[in-house]
Amino acid sequence: MTATLDRTAAPGATKAPGSARVRGPKSPGLGLGLAVLYLSLIVLFPLAAVAWRGVEGGPQAFWSAVTTPDSWAALKLTLGASALVAIINVVMGTVIAWVLVRDRFWGKGVVDALIDLPFALPTIVAGLVLLALYGVTSPLHVNLAYTRAGVVVALLFVTLPFVVRTVQPVLQELDRDMEQAAYSLGAGPGLTFRRIILPNLVPAMVSGAGLAFTRAIAEFGSTVLLSGNLPFQTQVAAVNIFGRIEGDDTASAAAVSTALLVVSFLVLVVLDLLQRWGSRRG
Amino acid sequence: MAKWILRLVALAYLLFLLILPIGLIGWRTFADGLAPVIESLTSEEALHAMRVTVEVAIWAVVLNTVFGVGAAILLVRREFPGKRLLNALIDLPLAVSPVVVGLALILAYGKYSTVGGWLETAGIQVIFSVPGMVLATVFVSLPLVVRAIVPVLEQMGDDQEQAARTLGAGGWATFRRITVPGIRGALGYGIVLCLARALGEYGAVAVVSGKIVGETQTLTLFVEERYLNYEVLTAFAAASLLALVAVATLLITRVLRPKEGN
Amino acid sequence: MAIEVRDVSKSFGSTPVLKDVSVDITSGSLTALLGPSGGGKSTLLRVIAGLETPDAGTVTISGVDATRLSPQRRNVGFVFQHYAAFKHMSVFRNVAFGLEIRKRPKAEIRKRVDELLQLVHLEQFRDRYPAQLSGGQRQRMALARALAVEPEVLLLDEPFGALDAQVRKELRTWLRRLHDEVHVTTVFVTHDQEEAMDVSDSIVVLADGQVQQAGTPQQLYDEPASPFVMSFLGPVTRLDGRLVRPHDIDIATSPEPGTVEATVNRIVHLGFEVRVELQARSAAEDPEDVWVQVTRGTAEGLRLRTGDTVHLRAIPSALSLTV
C-alpha cells in the first residue's frame, strides 16, 4: 500500500484529449472515470460515511465513545494481543520460512502449500476448527475457550502466512556466497546468522509483522466463537463494534471503527516509509 | 543438531495451530460416515444458504473481474495524474476490518442514510438483502484480481499489443486476442482467489445481511447459526465443505500462480 | 513519394527527441535511418507507424495524410526490435493474424500464409510456437507477419539488433534479396553504418533529433555534409587539423612539399590490411595521433619499423573536411 497521497492531482480531473479517432494510446479516458466511480461507490463513500458518523458529534463525543469502558477495554486487548501476535509471528514465521527454504524433508511441498490455508479458509471456519481442538470438548484437554489465550491463538492462526511469505523469498534470494565468505573468515554459524543473515531478513520480518498486526487488529470472524465475547475480558474491538451495530448504536460503533481505521493506516504508512527508506539505502 | 530442533519447532507449531485443528474437524465430520453429512447439507436451509452464497460470490467475482482488468490496464498502460493515489486506494480494503466494512455500507446505503432513503423510495433495498451482501463481498475482495494481473501485464510489455495495432487490429480486437490470452493465467489466479474470498466472507456479510435464516443466510452464517443452536454436526459438515473449497483453491492457485522468470 | 514526413517535432516530457524533421522516402526504395542511439531514429519510425503521435508536423503515406490516423488504419508493416511475437499463437497464426483481423476467407489466408512462410523459409515451422524458434527464425516470422497484410510500407526497428554477428550478416543479405523480390517500400532503423551501407539504397542520417544528411550510400560516403556524417559513415583520422579517411593518406620515407613528419608508434597486421599508428608533428599544430590504413604490400614496400620517422600527406583526390 502506497501511503503518500498525491492530493494535488485528483484522478477524475484528467480528460481524454481529442476525439475517439485520435485518442492517444496513453490517454486514460472513460475507463479511469468508471474505475474511480466504482471505487468511490463501494469503498470511499462508505468509509467516508463511517469517519463522518464517527466525528460528527465533535471530538468530545468521539473520545467518550472510544473510551466507554467496554470499548476501551476491547481496543486495549486488541492492540495488546495483536502486538503479541506480531512478535510471535516474527519468531515462528522466520523459523518456518527458514525450515522451508534451507531444510529438506519428506512432505515439505505439502507443508509449504498448507501455509496459505489460513488465507483461503473462511474466518468463521477457522474459529470453529480451533474451538474443536482447544474448546470445552478438547481431545488434548486444553480448554482455551472464552480466554484471552484463545483470542491470541485465533489471531495466530489467521496471521500465520504473513511473516512466512515475506521472509521466505528473501531467504531464497539470499546469496549463499556471503555466508560462505563469513565462514571462511572464521565466523561460526551463530555469528554468521546474527551478523550476516539476520540483517538481510529484518526488513521482510518487519513488513510481515506489520501486515500481521493490521490484520490482527481488524480480525472478527475467527474470534467470534472462540472468545465468547466477554466484555472486559475477551471481547476484541471488531466484536465490540459488532455489538454496538446490533444495538443500533451506529454513532459509537463508527467512533470505535474510526479509531481502528486510524491505527491501521498509521501502521501501513509507517511500513511504507520504512520500505522507502530501506530501498533508498539499497 | 540445530537443524533438527528448528525442524521440530516449525513442524510442531504448524501441527498444533493448523494441521490438528483442521484434521479434527474433518475427522469429527466424517466419523459416522458420509450419510449424516449429506443429510445435514441437503436440508432446505443448507441448500438455500449455498444458493445465496454462490449468487453473491458470482456477482462479486464478475464485478471485480471487470473492474480488476480495467484498473490493471489503467495502472500499467496509461499515464495520468493521481495514478499513485488510485494505486493506493485499490489496496485500501485490505486494511479495513470486515465489521467496519459492514458498518460503512449500512451508514452509506442503509435506509436511514440519505442515499439509502432515495433507494428505498425507488423500491431498492440494499441493506439486509442481496445487493448489500454483494457490495460487502465486492469490498473485501476488491484488490485481488487487480493485484494478480498487474505484475503480469507489466512483464508482458506492450510490444505485442502495438504489433497487433500495426497489423490492423482495433482496441477491442487487440484486447481480446492479445492482452487477454497474455494474462490468462494471472486472470484465472486472481479470479480463483476472489471467488474463494467471496465464498468464505463472514464478517462484512454478517453485518449487512441481518442474518435472516432462509433469506440472507450464507454458508458461513449457516455454520455459525447451527453451531450456536447446538447442531454441531451440521456446523462441522458445512465448515468442512468450506474447508474443502479452501483446499481446492490452494491447489488451483498453486497451478495457476504466475511463475517467476516465465 | 511513399512517405513524406514534414516538420515533425516530438518531445518526451521536456526532452525534445525530434526537431523539425522532414524526410522523403521514394516508393519501392530500401531506406536506412542511421544514427547514434538516442538520436531519434526509432521515434521517427514509430511516428511513421502511428505508434507515437507527433507534437507538430505531418506524415503522409502514399499521398494520404496519416498524421491523425491510428496505427491500425495506416496499413504499415512494423517489425519490432524484439519481434513482439504473439507468444500464445503458432507461427502460422502469428502470420495469419492481420488477415484474420481483415476477415479474409479461410482458404485465402491459408494460401497466403503458406506462401509467406515459404518466402521466409519457415514452412516446416508453421505449427511451432515462438518460444521454440531461434532469434533469427522469430525475426523472419515477424517479417512474414508484417508482409502478410500487403502493407504500403514496411518499417523495421533495429531488425538485426538482437542477433549474433553471423546470423546478422546472413539476414542482411536475405533482406536485400527479399526486397528485390517483394518491392515494398522499406525503412529500417540501424546504428550500424556498415549494415546501412550494405543493405540500403538510400540513407537518412539522424542525430540529436535532426536530419544530418540524406542520400545514397555513395553520396554520403563521398560527399559528407559535415564532419559528423563523415566520421559516422566510415573510419576517419586527423591529419594537419583536417578530417581524412585513413586509406587516403600516403606514407613517404623522405620529406616532400606539403608532407607532415611523423613517428611510427605501432604497426598492427590485420591480414590484408595493415594499420599504422603514428604521432605527427606539423608546424602549426600540437603533436597529434594519426592512423593510416595501407595494404600489406605497401607496408612491406616501405619496410616500416616502430620508431621510424616518415612523412605523411593526404592523396590528391582525398576527401577532407576542416574540423
Side-chain angles (χ1 to χ4, degrees):
Chain A
M1 142 134 202
T2 328
T4 315
L5 303 185
D6 183 8
R7 282 185 192 289
T8 50
T14 34
K15 193 176 150 284
S19 70
R21 199 176 69 114
V22 296
R23 217 184 87 189
K26 294 279 156 78
S27 68
L30 181 66
L32 180 59
L34 287 176
V36 170
L37 181 71
Y38 184 85
L39 262 181
S40 305
L41 285 178
I42 290 165
V43 178
L44 301 182
F45 171 55
L47 283 184
V50 172
W52 175 246
R53 188 98 173 96
V55 301
E56 71 178 338
Q60 220 159 13
F62 171 78
W63 192 242
S64 69
V66 171
T67 51
T68 314
D70 60 315
S71 295
W72 191 243
L75 280 171
K76 277 200 298 192
L77 170 66
T78 303
L79 294 180
S82 299
L84 179 64
V85 163
I87 292 166
I88 297 177
N89 266 309
V90 165
V91 178
M92 290 315 299
T94 307
V95 169
I96 293 169
W98 179 273
V99 169
L100 287 178
V101 174
R102 294 292 173 92
D103 206 352
R104 281 161 166 242
F105 53 90
W106 187 82
K108 192 173 101 169
V110 180
V111 175
D112 187 46
L114 278 177
I115 299 291
D116 286 325
L117 200 52
F119 279 163
L121 201 67
T123 50
I124 188 78
V125 176
L128 192 66
V129 156
L130 290 172
L131 197 57
L133 189 64
Y134 300 114
V136 193
T137 57
S138 167
L140 303 174
H141 305 290
V142 181
N143 186 3
L144 301 178
Y146 316 146
T147 67
R148 290 189 168 183
V151 172
V152 171
V153 169
L155 297 181
L156 283 175
F157 184 96
V158 296
T159 56
L160 168 72
F162 286 101
V163 175
V164 180
R165 289 301 187 228
T166 47
V167 171
Q168 199 177 6
V170 181
L171 209 48
Q172 256 153 6
E173 297 292 309
L174 205 66
D175 198 353
R176 293 295 282 265
D177 291 352
M178 239 173 16
E179 288 163 55
Q180 280 160 7
Y183 290 137
S184 74
L185 294 167
L191 192 70
T192 304
F193 180 79
R194 262 202 332 277
R195 299 278 295 274
I196 306 295
I197 300 173
L198 199 58
N200 282 292
L201 297 185
V202 164
M205 288 158 77
V206 170
S207 121
L211 292 173
F213 181 80
T214 52
R215 171 67 206 261
I217 61 172
E219 183 52 24
F220 174 65
S222 62
T223 61
V224 163
L225 296 177
L226 196 58
S227 75
N229 306 326
L230 309 172
F232 304 104
Q233 285 181 44
T234 62
Q235 193 185 59
V236 293
V239 177
N240 182 265
I241 296 168
F242 187 79
R244 287 170 182 273
I245 299 171
E246 299 250 278
D248 260 341
D249 184 4
T250 51
S252 64
V256 182
S257 298
T258 307
L260 212 54
L261 283 174
V262 168
V263 176
S264 301
F265 294 159
L266 282 180
V267 173
L268 290 175
V269 168
V270 168
L271 274 184
D272 192 60
L273 290 177
L274 279 178
Q275 227 160 39
R276 270 156 209 257
W277 180 69
S279 65
R280 208 168 311 142
R281 282 177 67 219
Chain B
M1 188 62 201
K3 187 179 116 180
W4 287 93
I5 294 174
L6 282 176
R7 187 192 296 181
L8 188 73
V9 169
L11 291 182
Y13 186 77
L14 292 176
L15 181 71
F16 284 100
L17 190 63
L18 204 62
I19 298 163
L20 277 183
I22 294 175
L24 183 63
I25 279 276
W27 187 71
R28 286 255 174 104
T29 305
F30 296 105
D32 297 328
L34 217 51
V37 178
I38 291 172
E39 195 184 325
S40 58
L41 288 180
T42 47
S43 72
E44 205 177 309
E45 281 108 0
L47 290 174
H48 187 271
M50 288 178 205
R51 270 198 300 275
V52 173
T53 307
V54 169
E55 186 190 346
V56 168
I58 286 175
W59 271 109
V61 167
V62 168
L63 288 170
N64 274 340
T65 301
V66 174
F67 168 78
V69 173
I73 290 175
L74 278 176
L75 289 176
V76 179
R77 295 276 190 266
R78 302 283 187 269
E79 285 308 324
F80 53 91
K83 189 160 147 176
R84 274 185 56 194
L85 176 65
L86 182 68
N87 197 17
L89 287 179
I90 287 174
D91 286 335
L92 190 59
L94 293 180
V96 180
S97 172
V99 180
V100 178
V101 173
L103 174 66
L105 291 172
I106 287 180
L107 292 177
Y109 301 115
K111 65 177 165 186
Y112 299 112
S113 72
T114 321
V115 179
W118 299 338
L119 291 171
E120 177 114 328
T121 337
I124 303 166
Q125 193 195 355
V126 177
I127 301 306
F128 303 143
S129 89
V130 171
M133 296 159 72
V134 172
L135 280 179
T137 310
V138 167
F139 190 123
V140 297
S141 59
L142 189 130
L144 299 174
V145 178
V146 190
R147 291 294 164 231
I149 300 175
V150 161
V152 176
L153 215 48
E154 269 169 355
Q155 194 209 334
M156 181 178 150
D158 57 358
D159 270 20
Q160 297 181 51
E161 287 161 19
Q162 289 184 351
R165 303 290 288 227
T166 64
L167 291 169
W172 176 249
T174 305
F175 172 73
R176 202 172 54 84
R177 305 180 70 145
I178 305 297
T179 315
V180 171
I183 59 172
R184 201 168 35 199
L187 186 60
Y189 175 65
I191 287 176
V192 171
L193 283 184
C194 183
L195 182 67
R197 186 80 172 85
L199 291 173
E201 178 48 27
Y202 164 75
V205 168
V207 178
V208 295
S209 70
K211 299 184 181 174
I212 308 163
V213 178
E215 272 187 46
T216 60
Q217 192 180 52
T218 62
L219 207 51
T220 50
L221 299 175
F222 177 80
V223 170
E224 183 204 14
E225 186 245 349
R226 291 297 134 138
Y227 183 79
L228 294 178
N229 285 329
Y230 304 104
E231 291 184 40
V232 178
L233 179 66
T234 311
F236 280 4
S240 294
L241 180 63
L242 285 164
L244 272 178
V245 171
V247 170
T249 308
L250 280 190
L251 293 178
I252 297 171
T253 51
R254 284 251 139 186
V255 177
L256 288 177
R257 180 165 13 219
K259 282 160 197 79
E260 271 178 60
N262 186 3
Chain C
M1 283 302 148
I3 307 170
E4 288 171 51
V5 176
R6 282 286 160 275
D7 304 322
V8 161
S9 295
K10 172 83 185 168
S11 299
F12 290 124
S14 57
T15 321
V17 182
L18 295 174
K19 305 175 211 163
D20 269 335
V21 169
S22 296
V23 173
D24 288 329
I25 311 279
T26 330
S27 293
S29 68
L30 177 48
T31 303
L33 293 181
L34 175 67
S37 41
K41 47 195 195 313
S42 279
T43 308
L44 179 59
L45 197 75
R46 292 171 64 84
V47 165
I48 296 172
L51 294 169
E52 304 286 352
T53 321
D55 302 335
T58 58
V59 175
T60 311
I61 299 176
S62 300
V64 182
D65 179 7
T67 317
R68 309 265 102 185
L69 278 184
S70 61
Q72 78 255 35
R73 290 170 198 282
R74 293 194 185 201
N75 206 27
V76 297
F78 199 102
V79 177
F80 290 77
Q81 190 174 357
H82 300 285
Y83 328 126
F86 300 146
K87 292 191 185 113
H88 59 289
M89 296 181 190
S90 64
V91 169
F92 180 89
R93 292 284 317 286
N94 260 279
V95 178
F97 184 84
L99 299 167
E100 284 176 4
I101 289 288
R102 285 167 175 73
K103 302 218 161 38
R104 297 283 170 75
K106 280 224 161 60
E108 186 196 321
I109 295 180
R110 198 172 313 123
K111 186 163 166 285
R112 173 105 185 104
V113 174
D114 282 338
E115 276 170 22
L116 280 161
L117 289 180
Q118 224 156 39
L119 186 71
V120 300
H121 309 306
L122 285 177
E123 56 269 49
Q124 70 273 42
F125 296 107
R126 74 199 291 275
D127 297 321
R128 295 244 186 128
Y129 282 83
Q132 301 165 296
L133 300 181
S134 71
Q137 289 166 340
R138 261 182 250 177
Q139 178 65 287
R140 299 204 309 260
M141 180 192 82
L143 244 155
R145 186 175 71 181
L147 287 172
V149 298
E150 289 168 35
E152 313 258 352
V153 294
L154 181 62
L155 308 173
L156 304 105
D157 189 2
E158 296 269 6
F160 315 118
L163 302 169
D164 58 55
Q166 187 57 35
V167 183
R168 249 175 122 110
K169 283 237 164 88
E170 276 170 34
L171 271 179
R172 238 147 74 174
T173 323
W174 178 80
L175 176 67
R176 181 72 241 184
R177 239 185 279 142
L178 182 81
H179 182 261
D180 294 341
E181 269 176 63
V182 188
H183 284 304
V184 59
T185 311
T186 305
V187 183
F188 73 101
V189 158
T190 179
H191 59 263
D192 180 345
Q193 50 87 21
E194 195 192 322
E195 193 168 288
M197 309 267 287
D198 180 6
V199 178
S200 64
D201 41 46
S202 89
I203 297 180
V204 177
V205 180
L206 263 175
D208 293 329
Q210 284 169 320
V211 175
Q212 306 293 324
Q213 193 176 1
T216 64
Q218 197 77 44
Q219 274 170 342
L220 263 62
Y221 193 84
D222 293 341
E223 304 153 36
S226 64
F228 172 80
V229 175
M230 183 172 172
S231 52
F232 205 80
L233 264 283
V236 287
T237 189
R238 276 172 64 140
L239 180 64
D240 210 6
R242 297 176 70 79
L243 218 51
V244 189
R245 299 267 183 235
H247 52 70
D248 280 351
I249 297 175
D250 256 347
I251 302 179
T253 42
S254 53
E256 275 167 52
T259 55
V260 175
E261 198 184 71
T263 312
V264 177
N265 281 341
R266 189 164 168 243
I267 299 166
V268 188
H269 294 272
L270 300 162
F272 170 73
E273 177 200 327
V274 175
R275 185 186 160 107
V276 187
E277 294 176 8
L278 317 97
Q279 189 169 56
R281 292 177 301 274
S282 68
E285 307 272 327
D286 293 330
E288 55 185 0
D289 288 325
V290 185
W291 67 276
V292 180
Q293 195 181 20
V294 293
T295 62
R296 196 165 151 178
T298 316
E300 277 168 5
L302 289 165
R303 295 166 189 254
L304 288 180
R305 291 270 158 78
T306 308
D308 284 359
T309 300
V310 293
H311 303 272
L312 304 178
R313 183 173 60 183
I315 59 171
S317 63
L319 162 77
S320 75
L321 288 181
T322 316
V323 191

